[in-house]
Amino acid sequence: MQLMMFYTSAQRLYRGVFVSYGKLVGRHPIVFIVAALVSTGLLALGLLRLETETELERLYTPINSQAAQDRQKMKARFPDQTGTNYNIYSLNAEDRYGEIIAISDGNVFSNTSICEIRDLVDKIKQFIVGFEGRTLYYSDLCARASDMCVISGDFLLQDGFLSSLEQGNVTYPLWNNVDISFFVAGVNVSGDVLQSASVMKLTFHLRQDNDTMLASALTWEDTFVSHMKNQSSFLKQPRVHFATSQSLGDELNQNTDADVYWFSLSFSMLITYASLVASGDCVGSRNHLARAGILAAGFGILAGIGLVCLCGVKWVNVVGLMPIVVLAVGVDDMFLMMSAWAKTNVHGAEWDIPKRVGHTFSRAGIGITITSLTDFLAFMIGATSDFLSIRNFCIFMAAAIILCFLFQTTFFAGCMSLQGRRVEASRHCCTCHKISSREELREQGRPFLIICCCGGKPPRERRDSIFEKCPSLCLTNFLLTIPGKVITLVMFVVYVCFSVWGVAGLKQGLFLNLLVPPSSYYHGYSLSNYHYFGIRLPVQFVFSQTDIDYKNETTLKHVRELLHNIGQSSNMNSDTQVCWLLDYVSSKQFNKTSNSAFVKNLKKFLNDRPDLRNGVVFGPNETITASRCHVVSRNVPDSMDQANLMLSMRQISNSSPLQTFAYHPMFIYFEQFVSVLPTVLRTVGVAVAAMVVVTAILLPHPVIVAVVLFNILMILLGIFGFMAIWDLSLSAITMIHLVMSVGFSVDFTVHVCSAYMLSEGETRNDRARDAIIHAAGPIFNGGLSTFIGICTLVASQSYVFQSFFRIMVLNILFGVSHAVLLMPVLLSLVGPIGSTHRDPIGSTHTDPIWSTHRDPIGSTHTDPIELTHRDPIGSTHSNPIESTHSNPIESTHSNPIESVHSNPTESTHSNPIESTHSNPIESTHSNPIESTHSNRIGSTQILQRL
């Protein structure tokens, strides 16, 4: 009882605020419409400051990760040698290159294939690049070693290698201390002798030792791609796949940008659907009002983008999903407000427009406020993510969501007020001329076309389209019966089982071949590279202490132990260790008599070993400031294997007495595989907690809060589980959609709970039935409109949009099904019930907000918000509808809810949606919100009761 009293007080406060605001908008609609238009225009100026971020590393790797910090250490300690002594084992940053993979149906070393590949290599060297007014060739930009351009694998085209191959003198995989398995695949080996191969890989490395060279190298990569698209089409044997270091990011951005076309189509389809749902006669038609609701969502999108751009936040490609999401939220709010407005049709003759708008907000205000606040908070929490793509996406989304809510409650509410004025004046929806009703036109003998196109009158009952009626009619007849409840609960138990099974098989990681469509040149390259060569990384182990005594036996022992432990790892190949210190110790130049002699002889040793030269950095006074050794990993094609490789190498390095860290430029991309799961769990967990807090504030009843939490967790469990079933993995991209799902999971649920608590039913079943009647239609239409908005993405070739489509379909399907199926069943079993009391004539009251009572002086009150002498916004008036003495509708014998024999849920002759005699909310004779009872009980009797 105390909980319901607390809930009643809170709801009375909230509804009083919404009624006051609604009346204010109803009295001054033009002011709110103009304010919305002006603010949209001003905020849209922020588009002039629009900046974009397209770099793959910045978007999809954690901000300030350990790999990023290690890279800064590498750059600070080791100078870039790509222009003088390039060595792929000792790169400080990601390699820059153009790469080709030649695949032959026979032997790639045949004379025909070799001639074709040689000719292609010569053409690549002659690609012309224009940069800052200069004409550049590959020889001007290539990475160099021994003053020659470094092309990995080019020795395979030299006559000496081909002659040795023909003579059977080429061993596999090692030949002359070179692991040729990095450059050839599909091999035919007899013993250790290479006979033939079907695949050859050549890599054209580029300089990046200063900013100018890096910029020109990136320009060369663009030129390489454009030329290779033409050159590769002329090669029949061998087939050639190609890529550059930028290809993945470029293709991902290109495919995302290309799908912007589908947004305009989605927008048009939403307008069409909303117009169908909001149809009516020439006076009562709500088509323009529906378009105004979609326009309000559009204003939110435009103003949100402008506001965020003014704040200096950069646009990222995944923000392209934002318009569809905001449209879905805006249209959902629009349907709720239109449904609440339709409930006031029965009072159109008695209530003025401000009062109808106020009543609309009292019914729909809490619902749309909760959904908007929860979505806003979910995205603000997502904005704390370590991933820039998620952070910026959530900032844009949060701004657009809150502005969409503001425009729905200003612009759309103002348009709703003008719509009401036009309808009550019997003006045509297109011409705004006053017209006659269709009955009057028929009496005048007008043609059928004139009657249909020029006739109409203000509706005096709730008019719902088939889209709004069908869900409630279908569900109320079956769902709340005992068989219906049993079937529903069993169905959701099966759903939970499948979800748990799916979660157990959910994979983590981002598979590169999925990020681009099959039509992309990078798709064929990534598949070939993955299949034939895999991913083997030369991991660097960096000694960062400046005071290490390398000539000391203890230090040498620690280095050997470190390399031994690394070699014992299942991910590492112990036969590929390369360490300057071990090689120097075993050489003739090794001298440890003094630091000076050690360093002096080491320099001589390194002059003869350019392959080790980049591993040591000398300081002043014959010191060594930093050094590194290398070990090549085994093939780690799977993202989780890559993450485990990085973590295990860091663990081994940290366990060494020497201050050592493991590094490879690709580690910065592996960080996302480590961070995704903790980030998702943290973000989703905090967001769910925020949803619960908001629900507890606006629907302050513990049972309702518990049911909402249970529903959110059920929906999220299904989304995570069916992601795996639908071949989606947990990655930096799908994490964006999961953060969004948290906010959406609560939207539909809150509408049902709000309708349940507003119901005046005496039993849980009655209240659950009312919740279905009032919420099922808007929920169904909101879900269907969202699906219409995203269905065009089926044709998208972008992995970002395809994954978004799949997760949104799961969100809509599970959100709607939980809201209109599971929630009513749960509420009918455990939902809260209001206090019930009976007055002397037998009238029963179950809604503590709208229950009637007589005060000691004999006046009767039924609506604590409406039945006052002073308007909530301050103006005083005597509305005859609100008076307790002059409204014939408020007679003491006309409330069917309070009558013993007129329960609308049990009557055999009254449609709970359309009947004007027994609908507990819409009846013109029995509105429980406005009806009063002139119960003739004396003040003495009342005091005795009290």
Side-chain angles (χ1 to χ4, degrees):
M1 179 67 70
Q2 291 180 347
L3 290 175
M4 287 303 299
M5 291 178 63
F6 175 74
Y7 173 81
T8 299
S9 301
Q11 288 298 296
R12 184 178 292 113
L13 173 63
Y14 298 148
R15 295 181 73 174
V17 172
F18 281 117
V19 166
S20 300
Y21 176 77
K23 287 186 174 182
L24 182 64
V25 177
R27 291 191 182 96
H28 311 287
I30 300 299
V31 174
F32 285 89
I33 292 174
V34 172
L37 293 174
V38 171
S39 59
T40 300
L42 292 176
L43 290 176
L45 294 176
L47 291 172
L48 299 176
R49 297 188 58 184
L50 178 66
E51 297 181 7
T52 61
E53 178 61 68
T54 59
E55 187 178 346
L56 191 66
E57 176 190 315
R58 287 181 54 80
L59 292 178
Y60 298 110
T61 61
I63 298 172
N64 198 31
S65 64
Q66 182 176 339
Q69 297 175 27
D70 290 343
R71 182 172 60 184
Q72 294 303 319
K73 295 178 184 177
M74 296 294 294
K75 290 183 177 180
R77 288 169 171 78
F78 297 93
D80 189 291
Q81 303 286 351
T82 55
T84 55
N85 188 38
Y86 177 88
N87 188 331
I88 197 170
Y89 283 66
S90 56
L91 293 175
N92 298 337
E94 182 183 1
D95 196 13
R96 298 298 176 182
Y97 59 85
E99 192 164 81
I100 62 173
I101 298 177
I103 304 175
S104 174
D105 293 335
N107 185 4
V108 76
F109 292 112
S110 66
N111 291 334
T112 302
S113 295
I114 290 296
C115 290
E116 290 278 3
I117 296 173
R118 282 175 171 174
D119 182 59
L120 178 59
V121 170
D122 290 339
K123 290 180 179 178
I124 291 174
K125 292 179 179 179
Q126 297 303 314
F127 288 165
I128 299 175
V129 178
F131 181 77
E132 295 182 350
R134 294 181 296 162
T135 299
L136 302 175
Y137 298 90
Y138 174 70
S139 59
D140 301 313
L141 306 172
C142 65
R144 290 183 172 274
S146 302
D147 202 29
M148 296 180 61
C149 288
V150 178
I151 303 177
S152 295
D154 65 337
F155 67 91
L156 301 173
L157 303 176
Q158 295 174 3
D159 292 335
F161 175 84
L162 295 174
S163 176
S164 297
L165 178 65
E166 186 176 351
Q167 296 171 11
N169 295 328
V170 176
T171 56
Y172 183 88
L174 291 178
W175 177 73
N176 289 349
N177 294 323
V178 176
D179 188 348
I180 62 176
S181 64
F182 281 95
F183 313 111
V184 295
V187 296
N188 179 20
V189 179
S190 177
D192 291 335
V193 178
L194 177 66
Q195 302 294 321
S196 64
S198 60
V199 183
M200 179 189 299
K201 179 163 72 171
L202 302 176
T203 307
F204 299 79
H205 299 283
L206 299 166
R207 292 178 61 177
Q208 50 178 322
D209 47 339
N210 58 62
D211 292 339
T212 301
M213 293 306 302
L214 177 59
S216 57
L218 298 179
T219 304
W220 184 90
E221 288 187 7
D222 295 336
T223 304
F224 173 84
V225 170
S226 61
H227 280 77
M228 286 301 300
K229 286 181 178 179
N230 297 326
Q231 294 291 335
S232 60
S233 61
F234 293 104
L235 295 176
K236 303 303 180 182
Q237 282 295 325
R239 303 184 308 277
V240 174
H241 298 292
F242 59 92
T244 68
S245 64
Q246 302 180 93
S247 289
L248 178 59
D250 290 344
E251 288 296 285
L252 183 61
N253 292 325
Q254 181 178 353
N255 288 317
T256 306
D257 295 340
D259 288 319
V260 174
Y261 157 76
W262 298 108
F263 294 153
S264 58
L265 182 59
S266 299
F267 196 83
S268 302
M269 293 174 65
L270 277 177
I271 292 177
T272 302
Y273 176 75
S275 300
L276 290 174
V277 173
S279 58
D281 62 27
C282 297
V283 171
S285 174
R286 297 171 293 168
N287 288 345
H288 294 319
L289 187 59
R291 297 185 188 101
I294 295 177
L295 194 59
F299 289 163
I301 295 169
L302 183 62
I305 295 175
L307 175 62
V308 176
C309 289
L310 284 173
C311 297
V313 180
K314 292 185 178 181
W315 175 279
V316 298
N317 52 13
V318 291
V319 179
L321 300 170
M322 184 261 287
I324 292 180
V325 180
V326 178
L327 276 176
V329 174
V331 170
D332 184 29
D333 292 346
M334 176 195 75
F335 280 126
L336 281 172
M337 293 186 67
M338 288 177 64
S339 177
W341 173 261
K343 292 181 176 68
T344 67
N345 286 342
V346 296
H347 303 291
E350 297 87 13
W351 290 0
D352 59 8
I353 297 301
K355 184 174 180 179
R356 291 181 64 182
V357 177
H359 181 79
T360 298
F361 271 91
S362 74
R363 300 290 301 188
I366 293 179
I368 65 174
T369 301
I370 292 178
T371 57
S372 298
L373 278 180
T374 51
D375 289 340
F376 173 76
L377 287 177
F379 287 117
M380 288 305 297
I381 293 169
T384 63
S385 171
D386 295 331
F387 292 82
L388 182 66
S389 57
I390 300 174
R391 178 178 297 185
N392 288 15
F393 171 78
C394 289
I395 292 174
F396 275 95
M397 279 296 312
I401 287 289
I402 201 66
L403 288 171
C404 177
F405 168 74
L406 294 176
F407 288 133
Q408 291 288 355
T409 55
T410 54
F411 177 82
F412 177 70
C415 292
M416 188 165 58
S417 177
L418 295 181
Q419 159 86 358
R421 286 172 167 78
R422 179 191 63 78
V423 171
E424 291 305 318
S426 295
R427 294 185 180 275
H428 197 281
C429 62
C430 294
T431 64
C432 286
H433 289 154
K434 286 192 174 183
I435 59 175
S436 302
S437 67
R438 290 178 176 177
E439 292 78 7
E440 292 173 344
L441 293 177
R442 290 192 187 96
E443 292 176 358
Q444 297 173 10
R446 294 298 185 90
F448 177 78
L449 186 61
I450 297 296
I451 294 174
C452 290
C453 298
C454 301
K457 64 179 180 180
R460 288 296 174 256
E461 60 183 14
R462 179 181 177 125
R463 291 183 180 179
D464 290 327
S465 66
I466 188 63
F467 297 97
E468 297 168 298
K469 290 180 181 179
C470 186
S472 58
L473 289 176
C474 294
L475 293 173
T476 52
N477 294 329
F478 172 74
L479 185 62
L480 298 181
T481 63
I482 293 179
K485 293 179 183 180
V486 172
I487 292 174
T488 300
L489 293 177
V490 170
M491 180 177 65
F492 277 94
V493 168
V494 174
Y495 157 85
V496 170
C497 294
F498 273 99
S499 299
V500 172
W501 174 68
V503 169
L506 182 61
K507 296 180 180 180
Q508 298 182 52
L510 193 61
F511 304 98
L512 301 184
N513 61 303
L514 296 177
L515 295 180
V516 293
S519 59
S520 168
Y521 72 88
Y522 186 79
H523 186 269
Y525 164 83
S526 63
L527 288 179
S528 299
N529 193 46
Y530 179 89
H531 177 70
Y532 291 113
F533 298 101
I535 298 177
R536 289 181 287 174
L537 305 175
V539 182
Q540 305 176 40
F541 296 89
V542 182
F543 306 100
S544 56
Q545 281 181 286
T546 58
D547 57 347
I548 297 179
D549 185 3
Y550 290 99
K551 70 180 188 305
N552 187 281
E553 288 294 334
T554 303
T555 301
L556 185 61
K557 177 183 176 182
H558 290 328
V559 171
R560 285 175 174 155
E561 289 178 350
L562 173 64
L563 295 177
H564 173 75
N565 293 335
I566 294 170
Q568 294 298 308
S569 173
S570 59
N571 291 321
M572 305 301 289
N573 185 353
S574 59
D575 295 332
T576 60
Q577 296 177 358
V578 177
C579 186
W580 65 271
L581 181 58
L582 299 184
D583 285 8
Y584 177 47
V585 169
S586 61
S587 70
K588 296 180 180 180
Q589 288 96 333
F590 179 64
N591 187 335
K592 63 175 183 177
T593 56
S594 65
N595 284 336
S596 176
F598 180 87
V599 172
K600 182 178 179 180
N601 282 24
L602 174 59
K603 290 180 179 179
K604 293 180 180 179
F605 169 75
L606 294 178
N607 285 335
D608 298 329
R609 292 290 302 275
D611 58 314
L612 300 176
R613 193 180 304 159
N614 295 348
V616 184
V617 178
F618 296 100
N621 302 321
E622 303 295 343
T623 59
I624 298 175
T625 58
S627 68
R628 54 190 168 186
C629 299
H630 314 84
V631 182
V632 179
S633 73
R634 300 185 188 277
N635 184 24
V636 283
D638 183 76
S639 59
M640 294 313 299
D641 290 337
Q642 295 163 7
N644 292 333
L645 167 67
M646 179 179 69
L647 294 178
S648 62
M649 293 304 101
R650 285 176 177 173
Q651 183 178 6
I652 293 174
S653 298
N654 294 335
S655 64
S656 173
L658 304 174
Q659 288 188 3
T660 311
F661 64 90
Y663 176 77
H664 187 276
M666 292 299 293
F667 279 4
I668 199 165
Y669 294 102
F670 298 170
E671 290 281 6
Q672 64 158 311
F673 308 142
V674 178
S675 302
V676 164
L677 183 59
T679 301
V680 168
L681 295 179
R682 182 184 71 247
T683 305
V684 170
V686 175
V688 169
M691 306 301 102
V692 172
V693 171
V694 172
T695 304
I697 293 174
L698 295 179
L699 289 175
H701 195 288
V703 175
I704 293 298
V705 174
V707 170
V708 169
L709 175 60
F710 175 76
N711 215 46
I712 293 174
L713 296 179
M714 285 279 288
I715 294 172
L716 291 177
L717 176 64
I719 292 175
F720 276 89
F722 281 80
M723 276 178 59
I725 297 174
W726 210 345
D727 199 26
L728 291 174
S729 62
L730 196 60
S731 68
I733 291 179
T734 54
M735 182 165 53
I736 299 172
H737 315 324
L738 291 173
V739 171
M740 175 187 62
S741 299
V742 177
F744 280 1
S745 64
V746 75
D747 289 359
F748 297 140
T749 302
V750 165
H751 300 328
V752 175
C753 291
S754 179
Y756 178 90
M757 296 303 290
L758 289 174
S759 170
E760 297 178 1
E762 297 183 3
T763 65
R764 291 188 177 97
N765 261 16
D766 292 340
R767 287 192 166 208
R769 184 176 291 106
D770 287 344
I772 294 174
I773 292 172
H774 299 147
I779 289 174
F780 175 79
N781 285 297
L784 185 57
S785 63
T786 303
F787 178 77
I788 290 174
I790 66 171
C791 67
T792 57
L793 298 182
V794 174
S796 171
Q797 293 190 348
S798 167
Y799 176 76
V800 175
F801 288 169
Q802 285 182 351
S803 59
F804 169 77
F805 169 78
R806 294 179 184 182
I807 293 180
M808 279 300 295
V809 167
L810 296 177
N811 219 321
I812 296 168
L813 179 62
F814 298 154
V816 172
S817 61
H818 278 71
V820 301
L821 296 178
L822 182 62
M823 284 297 293
V825 172
L826 291 179
L827 291 172
S828 71
L829 297 175
V830 300
I833 291 293
S835 60
T836 302
H837 63 273
R838 185 177 297 275
D839 65 22
I841 65 172
S843 300
T844 303
H845 307 276
T846 61
D847 189 343
I849 298 179
W850 303 109
S851 61
T852 63
H853 63 275
R854 182 179 295 274
D855 65 21
I857 64 172
S859 59
T860 305
H861 305 277
T862 63
D863 187 345
I865 297 174
E866 300 291 347
L867 299 184
T868 60
H869 295 289
R870 179 172 296 275
D871 187 274
I873 65 171
S875 61
T876 59
H877 60 279
S878 57
N879 192 330
I881 306 299
E882 299 174 357
S883 173
T884 62
H885 304 287
S886 61
N887 192 347
I889 298 177
E890 299 173 350
S891 62
T892 64
H893 60 277
S894 62
N895 190 338
I897 294 198
E898 299 175 355
S899 175
V900 176
H901 61 274
S902 61
N903 188 343
T905 63
E906 299 176 359
S907 174
T908 59
H909 62 277
S910 58
N911 188 327
I913 297 179
E914 298 180 347
S915 172
T916 62
H917 301 287
S918 62
N919 189 330
I921 294 181
E922 298 172 7
S923 171
T924 60
H925 302 291
S926 59
N927 184 8
I929 297 177
E930 298 298 331
S931 63
T932 62
H933 300 276
S934 302
N935 191 354
R936 304 183 184 280
I937 302 177
S939 60
T940 302
Q941 292 174 299
I942 296 174
L943 291 173
Q944 289 174 351
R945 283 179 174 274
L946 295 175

